[in-house]
Amino acid sequence: TPPATGERFTDIQREVDRQFPVGRFVAVRSGVVVADAPSHPQLVKDLQSQGKSPKDMLVIQAGVEYPASGIIFTFVSASPSHA
């Protein structure tokens, strides 16, 4: 599934905000809501019980205003090699 970008993300966010109460976590894949839950851990659990991964979809929280852009940091742990 290609990532939701720009205008498409805005459309999805508006639809989620319209359909779900503030604070609800919603998983969307290919523009379709596949699950929702009151917390992120519960949403992940529900998706996994359906054999789905949250890594394969967009997960957003209803009522949250997301910035138009952002920086994502990835930390890589370097471990010494053993001879």
Side-chain angles (χ1 to χ4, degrees):
T1 302
T5 58
E7 192 174 306
R8 182 68 182 131
F9 175 80
T10 302
D11 292 344
I12 292 168
Q13 185 178 18
R14 284 184 186 142
E15 189 63 23
V16 166
D17 289 348
R18 188 180 69 72
Q19 290 185 22
F20 296 92
V22 172
R24 192 89 177 162
F25 287 83
V26 180
V28 179
R29 182 168 185 165
S30 299
V32 177
V33 172
V34 294
D36 68 281
S39 69
H40 188 267
Q42 184 63 50
L43 180 65
V44 171
K45 182 179 175 182
D46 292 350
L47 288 168
Q48 290 172 338
S49 73
Q50 297 173 29
K52 299 175 182 172
S53 171
K55 293 179 183 179
D56 296 333
M57 56 198 71
L58 175 68
V59 175
I60 60 176
Q61 189 174 15
V64 172
E65 187 173 325
Y66 292 93
S69 64
I71 298 172
I72 298 173
F73 293 96
T74 301
F75 295 96
V76 177
S77 174
S79 60
S81 61
H82 300 291

